[in-house]
Amino acid sequence: MISATSISADDSKPLRIALVDDDIEDKVLVESTLRSIADFEYELIWISDTERADLLLLRAAPDVCLLDYWLGGSTGLDVMERLKIKELDFPVLLLTGTHDRAVDLEAMNRGVFDYLVKGEITPALLERSIRYALHRHQLEQQVRDLSLRDPLTGLSNRRFFEEALIYAAKRSARRDRSFHVIVIDVDQFKQINDKHGHAAGDQVLIEVGERLRRQVRATDVVARIGGDEFAVILEEGEQHLHLTEALDRMRNEMQFSLTLSDGGQPLAINVSIGLASSLQAEESPSGVVARADRAMYEAKRLRKIAS
């Protein structure tokens, strides 16, 4: 079923918003909220056949998708899995009836851009969430187009990292949760380049980048921000215990032996890692990165003392 509503004229074409929900009352609520957004022209596409939601979304080709969590005998996360297989290219916002920490984190793991509780959705909140999701999605498209991608590792570059950091800070402030920045630096990288050559150094950076990518969620940002320096943005305020465990796994993964392409002896690779969490509302996002950077250099200093 399809309904369309236009709010005020705009030079651009209406935003195509798909709503996947099998509840007519939820559909009416979303329509009412969208109608209350000023200066916002859109077309709402309602998909109530949740078993074929992925196929119908493929036909609809929306700009953004509002996806209900409870869908009869399945969940919106099941739909996300089917969307991933088809590689559909639009941001998804998950709608749910209650706060659920586990669902929130799992949704982010599956690639959902935001998580909204139905009883708390205001026109301003919905408009802002859609706008942020579209902006971040556009940034990710630019990464795929290489404009914001590090050409060596395929990770995000510093420019994308700085953009993503601003939006992570805004999202975290709105949700009253922390975000975390991890800074990673390859130990003795200059010596690796001097002794084995720049091709070997490139091989090390590529391997470090791939190992970092495997340690985080699809929605987390992994970037190469300098020569041998990497950074990760973790959103949604994971519990400290879980964050510590994730950091320990990362440290273990980042200590490895690498056989260079020249066929020589395996090279032992170590990194220094620093973590900082946003704690104060008045602290700038760059301040969080600076603290993570200082923690990384302190870890490097302690490693030198220990060796």
Side-chain angles (χ1 to χ4, degrees):
M1 299 178 63
I2 300 177
S3 63
T5 306
S6 176
I7 304 177
S8 74
D10 189 86
D11 292 335
S12 62
K13 63 181 181 180
L15 189 69
R16 291 174 60 82
I17 303 174
L19 171 64
V20 179
D21 197 321
D22 56 359
D23 190 325
I24 183 63
E25 292 184 1
D26 285 344
K27 180 249 188 183
V28 171
L29 178 62
V30 169
E31 280 187 312
S32 175
T33 305
L34 287 170
R35 279 197 298 269
S36 299
I37 301 174
D39 301 321
F40 186 61
E41 188 176 351
Y42 70 95
E43 176 186 0
L44 181 64
I45 305 162
W46 180 36
I47 297 176
S48 57
D49 184 352
T50 57
E51 291 186 0
R52 298 193 303 138
D54 51 330
L55 298 176
L56 296 173
L57 283 167
L58 181 62
R59 296 175 189 170
D63 297 304
V64 63
C65 175
L66 306 179
L67 178 62
D68 191 33
Y69 178 70
W70 290 113
L71 298 172
S74 63
T75 71
L77 300 184
D78 297 324
V79 175
M80 285 296 297
E81 283 300 303
R82 303 201 298 273
L83 293 178
K84 187 181 298 183
I85 293 173
K86 292 180 171 57
E87 297 183 347
L88 300 186
D89 192 25
F90 48 79
V92 176
L93 306 177
L94 191 70
L95 309 180
T96 182
T98 59
H99 286 282
D100 189 318
R101 179 74 172 169
V103 171
D104 192 351
L105 293 177
E106 181 63 18
M108 298 303 294
N109 284 334
R110 302 287 183 93
V112 169
F113 277 71
D114 206 350
Y115 172 98
L116 303 174
V117 178
K118 295 176 185 176
E120 300 175 0
I121 299 176
T122 64
L125 175 60
L126 183 57
E127 186 272 337
R128 187 166 61 241
S129 294
I130 291 174
R131 178 160 42 87
Y132 284 2
L134 288 170
H135 182 82
R136 178 168 172 178
H137 183 63
Q138 289 168 356
L139 288 178
E140 291 181 353
Q141 285 182 315
Q142 290 179 323
V143 168
R144 289 192 290 271
D145 294 338
L146 303 182
S147 64
L148 296 177
R149 180 179 297 188
D150 173 52
L152 177 64
T153 63
L155 300 175
S156 303
N157 62 16
R158 175 178 283 277
R159 180 183 164 199
F160 180 88
F161 173 81
E162 290 173 348
E163 289 269 5
L165 184 67
I166 292 171
Y167 277 87
K170 289 180 178 179
R171 279 165 47 87
S172 296
R174 173 165 59 83
R175 305 181 71 171
D176 194 26
R177 294 181 181 174
S178 299
F179 69 93
H180 316 285
V181 174
I182 300 173
V183 174
I184 304 99
D185 188 82
V186 180
D187 292 340
Q188 299 182 324
F189 185 72
K190 184 178 184 301
Q191 290 89 323
I192 294 173
N193 270 335
D194 291 345
K195 183 176 180 179
H196 301 280
H198 289 283
D202 288 351
Q203 190 177 344
V204 170
L205 295 176
I206 292 169
E207 180 65 20
V208 168
E210 183 58 35
R211 286 171 175 261
L212 279 175
R213 200 193 324 252
R214 293 199 300 262
Q215 291 298 304
V216 301
R217 305 170 297 183
T219 52
D220 295 323
V221 173
V222 184
R224 181 186 174 205
I225 59 174
D228 63 324
E229 192 169 24
F230 298 80
V232 179
I233 302 173
L234 302 175
E235 291 191 58
E236 305 312 312
E238 296 181 39
Q239 293 180 0
H240 182 70
L241 176 61
H242 295 164
L243 186 63
T244 302
E245 292 173 350
L247 203 61
D248 288 341
R249 288 195 303 271
M250 185 176 291
R251 288 193 182 99
N252 292 334
E253 179 72 8
M254 292 296 108
Q255 297 182 19
F256 59 94
S257 294
L258 181 64
T259 300
L260 300 177
S261 55
D262 61 10
Q265 292 294 318
L267 186 64
I269 305 298
N270 288 292
V271 304
S272 297
I273 299 177
L275 165 71
S277 301
S278 60
L279 300 174
Q280 304 161 342
E282 63 272 15
E283 183 180 29
S284 67
S286 61
V288 181
V289 177
R291 286 196 290 111
D293 206 46
R294 289 195 295 270
M296 181 273 292
Y297 278 109
E298 177 63 13
K300 191 179 289 288
R301 185 184 72 82
L302 294 175
R303 182 187 292 277
K304 288 180 179 179
I305 292 174
S307 60

